[in-house]
Structure formats: structure tokens, C-alpha cells
């Protein structure tokens, strides 16, 4: 018997809403979990997924992807990529895997919530495939990273990081849990699928896939490219949900969810994407700066998506554009300075050539961040290594859980943006994070940042050594300069000379 074309049966097969008889519909689909916002079921049934795929097709495509990725891995087993790789690139791998591999597992739970509580049949169908996607992404990244554990103990933190109270672990959990673990199905679709996956994961995965090819790490490039093709498919859930919200008078709520999501995603990806592209990537292999990637993937393409959707740019859009000029530089400097608190070895990335490149891509870098590095270099050359290490934990933002930092230099712009709420003072890196807190204070009010925990007596002894123990970092795992400070000697008889503007 001839098989029907998918177009002849797909819409009928995925129309799986029904009228319950044993329980009330409100009990089967409680609004707390669905986030239906009073929109009628009939309106939700207008959900139309751009990517239409059947289960047999899905299995076949995924099988071919896995076959391709594992074949590349097998073919390059003896390539000695690890042994020959620049130490900065190895730190990029550690940072990517440890902050994102288990976040994919969080994504599996997110998709499962949409499978169960999504009001649109098509949404539930797409989320089923998305759940399988995220499970695959978790497993394959953990598997690929595991082979390096025998060579470097820090790779064990790929699986360990999110289970610890390390500075990076707390920050990664904070962002992922906010967007994923405590939202309704509709909110998840908008905030995670549209706000994060349609924009920032594109930048992270496509950008690093390109960089991996440049450094000759074809296994990693093949891996994350295969992941991104999945992300591009199930990320479309968010756009369809947004259209239903907008068409049914929920424009203000849609705008608010998107604004919060972009703010949280920006903080989440500023570190792994920004520091990797502009500092971890070997200089002779860099193609674009993080700022240029942001311009292409966020400020241009994602802005067009917002406008086409009928939404406005977030109120802080211009400020975020300004932050893309400096914020990841500040985080990189913070990560290097607090390197013993990292589970990877941050690359300084400030050789003479690197500084020329940074100044070209970010005019004014040498007169701001460069001056801070001048002090570090001077201390290292003088043998005062201890002056380049922290004495206590940094002041942490109560929303993004990252150090409060900005532009150093003569006109220091590092500024706390505090807020008093219910007798407690909260601290924020910018007006953006403070605004996020103000949208739903009960969501964030009880969480303690790492610096809050130190002051609350939860870290014993209440000093830096106690903090490292609290984070779970052991000798051999604590971070240090990726290149073993070899770059410092290039300055001993050859100080950096700033070029005239």
C-alpha cells in the first residue's frame, strides 16, 4: 500500500487536544503550569510549527548526525589534538563543556514540561523532539569531554561544576534555573526557546564551531554543529507561542518575558562566549571579535526578529550594545584575577599582538583595561606574584551571580546599583539586573550570592581559603594562568607602547 505524503496526514495526527471527562480541564492543565493567560484553547490550537517532522524522520536524521559526529571523532583519535592544542583553546573547551553540558540536561526538563503542559498540540509534539534533543546534547558532550579526564583533572568539572557551590557553578545555575525550572510552559517557550535559543545559543555554538575549525579541533566543531541544528529546530517553539500571545492581546506580557530573557541570556553568555572569542582563542586564528558576533547575531538579526514579531527592542537595548564593548573584558579580567576560584585556567590573552588586536576591535582598550594589565605585568616581572591574587571573594550581583565589574582606568565606571527591599540591601551590576529583580522580587529575594554567604557565616573559615573549600576546589583543579605566565617575559625588555590615536 502506498504511503501518504506527510502533508496529507500531519495536521490531523498532531491535533491531539481532547475534552476530559474524569477531571476538569483546569485540573488537567492548571494555569500555574501552562501559563495560558486566559487564552482560549481554540486560539492555542492555531500553533503552527515551522519545522514539521515525523518520528521516523526524526530518528533517521538524528542517527545520521550521530554517525557523522562519532565517525569524525574515531577518525581523529590519533590526531593528538589535545597534546598540540594551544592551552588557551583547552581552557575554552573546559569552560564551554562545564557551563553548558549539564545546562542541556536542564533543557530536557524544560522541554518535558512543555510536553506535559503545553496547551497547543503542535507545541507538545515539537517539545517531545526537543526533549530527546536535549538528552542527546547532554550525553554526547559529557562523553566527548570525558576522554580528557585522564589527561587533566579540570575536565572532571564538566560533570561536577553545576553540582558545586563554585562561583561559576552558582552563576550558571542561577541563570538556567530562572529561565527554566520555575516557569510555566508558555513562559519557558518565550524566554528559553525564543529569548535564549533563537539568539545567544546561535552565537555560542556557531561561533565556537567556526573557531574550532580554525584551531584544527574538527571533532569539537562537528559535535557542536550537530547540536546547533537541533537547537535551530526546537527553538522555533518560542516564536509560535509569541505569535499566539500577541494575537490574543498579551503584547505587554510577551514584551516583558522577552526583555527579562534577553537580559538573563546576555549575562549567561557574556562569559563563555566573550572571553573565549577574544582571549582564549589563539590570536592568529581569530576571525571576528565577540563584539562583531554580537552585532551580527543579536543587534542585527535578533532585533529584526523582534520587530517582525510585533515587539519592541528591550528598553535597555542601547545599554546592552554599550556593554558589549566592555563587559566581557571586565569578566575576563575578574576570572583571571580570581583564577584559583575557577575550574579552568583562564588565558590572560594580553601579549603585545593581542593588545594591538584588542585595541583595533575595541578602541580605548589599552587606556582602560590595558592599564589594569600593566599593573599585573609589573608585579609579575618584579616577582610579586602574590599581588596578582585575590585576598577575598568579589562583590557579587544578586541577579546574575557574577562579580560587579565594568571599565577600569582613570575614569573608573565600576558602580554598584543597590536596592533596599524588605530590610535587606541587594547589589546589582547595572540598572538592567536591578530592573529584572524588581519585576518579581519574590523570585530572587531569598537567594544568597557567594559574598552574601561569606557574610552570613555559611563559609567557614570566613576567608578565601574557606571559600575555596566551600566551592569544592582541590589542588590540581584550581585554575591558574593558561600559559604558565610565559607571556610575561615578552615584556621584560620590551614594554608595550601604545600607538597614537
Amino acid at each position: 500500500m502506498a504511503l501518504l505524503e506527510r502533508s496529507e496526514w500531519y495536521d490531523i495526527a498532531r491535533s491531539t487536544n481532547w475534552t476530559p471527562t474524569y477531571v476538569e480541564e483546569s485540573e488537567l492543565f492548571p494555569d500555574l503550569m501552562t501559563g495560558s493567560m486566559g487564552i482560549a484553547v481554540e486560539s492555542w490550537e492555531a500553533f503552527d510549527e515551522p519545522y514539521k517532522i515525523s518520528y521516523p524522520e526524526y530518528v533517521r536524521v538524528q542517527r545520521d548526525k550521530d554517525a557523522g559526529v562519532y565517525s569524525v571523532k574515531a577518525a581523529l583519535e590519533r590526531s593528538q589534538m589535545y597534546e598540540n592544542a594551544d592551552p588557551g583553546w583547552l581552557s575554552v573547551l573546559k569552560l564551554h563543556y562545564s557551563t553548558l553540558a549539564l545546562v542541556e540536561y536542564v533543557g530536557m526538563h524544560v522541554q518535558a514540561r512543555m510536553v506535559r503542559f503545553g496547551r497547543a498540540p503542535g507545541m507538545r509534539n515539537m517539545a517531545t523532539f526537543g526533549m530527546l534533543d536535549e538528552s542527546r546534547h547532554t550525553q554526547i558532550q559529557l562523553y566527548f569531554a570525558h576522554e580528557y579526564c585522564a589527561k587533566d583533572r579540570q575536565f572532571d568539572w564538566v560533570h561536577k561544576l553545576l553540582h558545586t557551590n563554585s562561583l561559576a557553578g552558582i552563576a550558571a545555575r542561577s541563570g538556567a534555573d530562572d529561565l527554566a525550572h520555575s516557569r510555566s510552559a508558555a513562559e519557558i517557550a518565550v524566554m528559553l526557546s525564543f529569548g535564549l535559543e533563537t539568539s545567544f545559543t546561535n552565537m555560542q555554538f556557531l561561533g565556537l564551531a567556526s573557531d574550532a575549525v580554525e584551531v584544527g579541533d574538527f571533532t569539537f566543531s562537528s559535535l557542536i554543529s550537530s547540536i546547533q541544528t537541533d537547537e535551530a529546530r526546537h527553538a522555533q517553539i518560542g516564536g509560535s507561542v509569541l505569535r499566539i500571545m500577541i494575537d490574543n492581546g498579551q503584547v505587554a506580557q510577551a514584551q516583558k518575558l522577552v526583555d527579562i530573557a534577553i537580559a538573563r541570556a546576555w549575562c549567561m553568555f557574556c562569559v563563555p562566549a566573550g572571553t573565549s572569542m577574544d582571549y582564549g582563542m589563539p590570536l592568529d586564528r581569530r576571525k571576528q571579535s565577540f563584539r562583531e558576533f554580537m552585532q551580527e547575531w543579536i543587534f542585527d538579526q535578533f532585533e529584526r526578529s523582534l520587530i517582525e514579531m510585533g515587539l519592541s527592542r528591550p528598553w535597555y537595548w542601547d545599554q546592552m550594545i554599550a556593554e558589549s564593548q566592555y563587559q566581557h573584558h571586565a569578566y575576563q579580567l575578574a576570572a583571571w584575577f580570581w583564577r584559583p576560584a575557577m575550574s579552568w585556567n583562564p588565558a590572560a590573552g594580553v601579549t603585545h599582538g593581542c593588545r594591538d588586536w584588542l585595541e583595533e576591535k575595541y578602541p580605548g582598550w589599552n587606556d582602560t583595561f590595558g592599564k589594569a594589565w600593566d599593573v599585573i605585568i609589573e608585579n609579575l616581572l618584579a616577582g610579586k606574584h602574590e599581588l596578582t591574587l585575590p585576598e577575598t571573594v568579589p562583590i557579587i550581583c544578586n541577579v546574575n551571580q557574577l562579580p560587579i565589574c565594568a571599565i577600569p582606568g582613570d575614569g573608573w565606571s565600576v558602580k554598584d546599583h543597590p536596592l533596599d527591599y524588605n530590610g535587606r540591601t541587594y547589589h546589582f551590576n547595572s540598572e538592567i539586573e536591578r530592573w529584572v529583580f524588581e519585576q518579581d522580587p519574590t523570585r530572587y529575594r531569598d537567594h544568597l550570592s557567594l559574598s552574601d554567604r561569606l557574610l552570613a557565616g555559611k563559609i567557614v573559615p570566613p576567608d578565601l581559603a574557606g571559600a575555596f573549600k566551600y566551592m569544592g576546589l582541590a589542588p590540581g583543579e584550581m585554575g591558574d594562568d593558561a600559559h604558565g605566565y610565559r607571556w610575561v617575559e615578552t615584556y621584560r625588555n620590551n614594554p608595550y607602547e601604545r600607538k597614537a590615536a
Side-chain angles (χ1 to χ4, degrees), residues 187-206:
E187 289 174 321
I188 288 169
V190 172
M191 301 181 79
L192 199 69
S193 293
F194 182 80
L196 188 145
E197 291 182 322
T198 303
S199 54
F200 286 90
T201 54
N202 266 328
M203 181 178 65
Q204 173 76 9
F205 284 87
L206 291 178

Side-chain angles (χ1 to χ4, degrees), residues 343-357:
S343 57
W344 64 92
N345 299 320
V350 290
T351 63
H352 291 69
C354 288
R355 293 179 67 156
D356 289 343
W357 184 88

Side-chain angles (χ1 to χ4, degrees), residues 86-132:
D86 183 273
W89 178 251
L90 296 181
S91 291
V92 169
L93 295 182
K94 295 172 189 175
L95 177 57
H96 171 89
Y97 280 132
S98 62
T99 55
L100 293 176
L102 286 189
V103 169
E104 304 275 15
Y105 185 68
V106 172
M108 184 180 71
H109 289 266
V110 171
Q111 298 289 336
R113 188 171 307 142
M114 290 192 284
V115 170
R116 171 60 182 84
F117 294 107
R119 292 306 281 125
M123 177 183 179
R124 296 196 294 267
N125 188 53
M126 287 296 293
T128 301
F129 296 129
M131 183 174 63
L132 297 173

Side-chain angles (χ1 to χ4, degrees), residues 284-452:
D284 61 345
R285 302 296 181 181
R286 296 177 197 171
K287 293 298 182 183
Q288 282 185 299
S289 68
F290 175 63
R291 176 69 173 78
E292 290 166 334
F293 267 94
M294 283 289 294
Q295 185 67 51
E296 178 179 355
W297 290 102
I298 309 299
F299 305 140
D300 291 342
Q301 293 191 26
F302 192 62
E303 180 180 359
R304 285 198 297 271
S305 298
L306 287 172
I307 303 303
E308 290 170 0
M309 195 68 66
L311 297 175
S312 302
R313 303 187 313 172
W315 64 268
Y316 53 78
W317 196 255
D318 290 339
Q319 183 173 338
M320 188 171 73
I321 292 176
E323 286 186 3
S324 71
Q325 187 73 20
Y326 66 83
Q327 192 61 60
H328 66 294
H329 300 307
Y331 286 146
Q332 189 271 344
L333 183 57
W336 191 90
F337 185 71
W338 272 280
R339 55 198 181 281
M342 304 297 117
S343 57
W344 64 92
N345 299 320
V350 290
T351 63
H352 291 69
C354 288
R355 293 179 67 156
D356 289 343
W357 184 88
L358 287 163
E359 181 66 28
E360 176 189 347
K361 299 296 183 180
Y362 304 92
W365 186 94
N366 272 309
D367 289 330
T368 51
F369 293 96
K371 287 187 176 181
W373 280 104
D374 286 341
V375 175
I376 291 172
I377 293 166
E378 181 181 344
N379 285 325
L380 288 172
L381 289 175
K384 300 176 181 178
H385 184 87
E386 71 281 0
L387 297 182
T388 71
L389 293 168
E391 296 182 0
T392 186
V393 300
I395 300 175
I396 302 292
C397 173
N398 282 114
V399 164
N400 67 33
Q401 304 302 317
L402 294 169
I404 292 177
C405 53
I407 304 175
D410 295 335
W412 283 83
S413 69
V414 181
K415 180 182 177 183
D416 182 17
H417 295 77
L419 174 70
D420 291 328
Y421 177 80
N422 281 3
R424 177 183 168 189
T425 300
Y426 296 83
H427 305 274
F428 306 99
N429 194 58
S430 74
E431 297 94 337
I432 303 174
E433 286 83 10
R434 186 173 62 190
W435 173 83
V436 170
F437 181 95
E438 290 173 325
Q439 302 316 298
D440 188 1
T442 58
R443 173 177 290 274
Y444 309 103
R445 67 183 181 189
D446 297 325
H447 189 275
L448 296 178
S449 69
L450 187 66
S451 44
D452 290 332

Side-chain angles (χ1 to χ4, degrees), residues 122 192 219 247 250 253 277 320 378 419 422 478 499:
L192 199 69
T219 298
D247 291 344
Q250 295 293 332
Q253 177 66 2
M277 292 179 184
M320 188 171 73
E378 181 181 344
L419 174 70
N422 281 3
M478 301 166 76
K499 296 178 174 59

Side-chain angles (χ1 to χ4, degrees), residues 34-37 39 43-44 46-50 114 117-124 126-127 184-194 234-251 253-254 257-258 309 311:
T34 64
S36 58
M37 295 165 284
I39 299 174
S43 297
W44 282 108
F47 182 101
D48 184 38
E49 61 272 33
M114 290 192 284
F117 294 107
R119 292 306 281 125
M123 177 183 179
R124 296 196 294 267
M126 287 296 293
S184 68
E187 289 174 321
I188 288 169
V190 172
M191 301 181 79
L192 199 69
S193 293
F194 182 80
H234 67 240
Q236 301 302 308
I237 297 173
S240 297
V241 170
L242 265 179
R243 276 188 282 272
I244 293 172
M245 290 178 63
I246 293 169
D247 291 344
N248 287 273
Q250 295 293 332
V251 177
Q253 177 66 2
L257 293 176
V258 168
M309 195 68 66
L311 297 175

